[in-house]
Amino acid sequence: ERIPLLAGSAKMGGERTMLPPRPLHIRYLVLLLALYQCQVGAAFTSVSRRSAPAAFVLDQSNVLQSSLILSATGGTATSISDSSTPLKATSNNSQEAPFTHSDIEWRLRPQKGTPLLKRLSLRAASNLIKLDCFIRRKDAPPVLCPKGGQAVLQAYYRPPGSPRKKQIARFGISTVRGPPAPPIDDTVRDTFGIEQFPLGGIGVAAIIYMFVEEEYRKRGIGELALEVISAIHAVQGCDFTVLVADDKGSGKLVEWYEAHGFKRAPKLQNMMGSPDGNFGTTMIAPTAVPSDFFCRCKIRW
């Protein structure tokens, strides 16, 4: 009797023999990979190095830095802290030690107001990406930003004696490279001495807000967050980070940002929605990522 050649059969020595069916878990795995191909593009943004107008290179200080800044400073990186060393948190409370990245779990989540179904879709896509990397024996991307243009960076910390981590800070950021604009070009030219720009112009991303729970302030969480945000923006192909510092005219917040690499950008006041400084002082800083940063700092996405 002739046996039809099915997907689970093979021909050996002129005779057709039936092969055992694929295990059920293999079928599920194939289905998951098919879903992965559909979900990833719709859930997360990815940046191609070829598409980024400004190339990112490792300088002599082993810092991933926009080539625009390197060309203007003669190869010396200008990171958030104006040095190639990681930021060191300072504390005014002698009883509480300053935080380090090993104390904090960073989570990158979609912006507030994202529908629950969209959040679940993002979580599924995230798990599928990690599964795909595990199967292919590749390292998962250090950062993937949810689509939508904005995200929330959350800081979680486990207090001594507590079984669970608690959210102690959150930071709203934009996650896509903004379009070029003459005020940005003028600011970069005046502030950093750059005369030649790439064909695609200068790309910036923004810090929208920064909030730290009161009991955890003055322990360096803000400095650590600036490092993480700068790294995220650099990975997303942005050359600079911009923000509006509103300290009600006291100048203390502006000075704090200046101490951590930001410079005043008066030509961006109107573009950032704060004409004449009514809602704060606009500031700008170049993005940079130390080569070992993602070994010291883990970001869950």
Side-chain angles (χ1 to χ4, degrees), residues 3 5 8-12 15-19:
I3 302 176
L5 186 61
S9 64
K11 187 174 182 180
M12 301 178 60
E15 297 181 358
R16 290 170 180 167
T17 58
M18 296 297 295
L19 295 178

Side-chain angles (χ1 to χ4, degrees), residues 11-262:
K11 187 174 182 180
M12 301 178 60
E15 297 181 358
R16 290 170 180 167
T17 58
M18 296 297 295
L19 295 178
R22 292 180 178 178
L24 192 60
H25 68 276
I26 297 296
R27 300 183 198 177
Y28 285 143
L29 183 58
V30 173
L31 178 60
L32 285 174
L33 291 178
L35 290 173
Y36 158 76
Q37 297 293 337
C38 299
Q39 287 286 338
V40 171
F44 292 94
T45 60
S46 59
V47 176
S48 170
R49 287 294 179 202
R50 295 181 180 180
S51 64
F56 286 79
V57 297
L58 282 171
D59 74 333
Q60 296 177 353
S61 301
N62 212 28
V63 173
L64 188 65
Q65 181 80 21
S66 169
S67 61
L68 294 174
I69 303 301
L70 295 180
S71 63
T73 58
T76 302
T78 307
S79 65
I80 281 180
S81 59
D82 284 332
S83 67
S84 59
T85 58
L87 290 172
K88 294 183 178 180
T90 58
S91 174
N92 295 335
N93 190 341
S94 59
Q95 297 179 352
E96 298 289 350
F99 287 118
T100 66
H101 284 299
S102 60
D103 300 318
I104 303 298
E105 179 183 285
W106 299 100
R107 301 180 186 180
L108 195 58
R109 296 293 183 255
Q111 61 182 320
K112 184 179 180 180
T114 302
L116 177 60
L117 186 60
K118 178 65 174 178
R119 290 178 178 271
L120 294 176
S121 174
L122 287 168
R123 181 63 60 85
S126 171
N127 292 333
L128 288 173
I129 293 172
K130 294 170 184 176
L131 175 62
D132 180 67
C133 292
F134 175 78
I135 294 173
R136 298 171 185 267
R137 298 183 179 180
K138 299 193 307 182
D139 293 332
V143 175
L144 274 183
C145 296
K147 281 191 173 181
Q150 296 182 16
V152 178
L153 179 67
Q154 302 171 341
Y156 278 79
Y157 169 68
R158 178 181 286 118
S162 175
R164 301 183 61 181
K165 296 180 180 179
K166 62 181 296 187
Q167 184 183 147
I168 63 172
R170 59 184 181 273
F171 311 91
I173 61 174
S174 65
T175 57
V176 295
R177 183 185 176 92
I184 297 176
D185 294 345
D186 292 341
T187 296
V188 171
R189 184 182 296 107
D190 297 342
T191 305
F192 300 98
I194 298 173
E195 296 295 338
Q196 295 183 348
F197 301 133
L199 184 61
I202 303 296
V204 301
I207 297 177
I208 303 171
Y209 65 84
M210 300 181 70
F211 175 81
V212 181
E213 297 290 346
E214 187 173 358
E215 62 180 304
Y216 294 100
R217 294 174 186 175
K218 298 183 179 180
R219 294 185 61 184
I221 190 67
E223 291 93 327
L224 297 178
L226 289 180
E227 284 190 17
V228 177
I229 293 170
S230 180
I232 293 172
H233 285 169
V235 170
Q236 291 298 103
C238 303
D239 304 304
F240 294 88
T241 298
V242 295
L243 57 85
V244 178
D246 185 9
D247 53 16
K248 310 301 181 182
S250 68
K252 293 182 179 179
L253 184 58
V254 172
E255 292 175 359
W256 183 83
Y257 280 113
E258 286 180 328
H260 295 93
F262 280 81

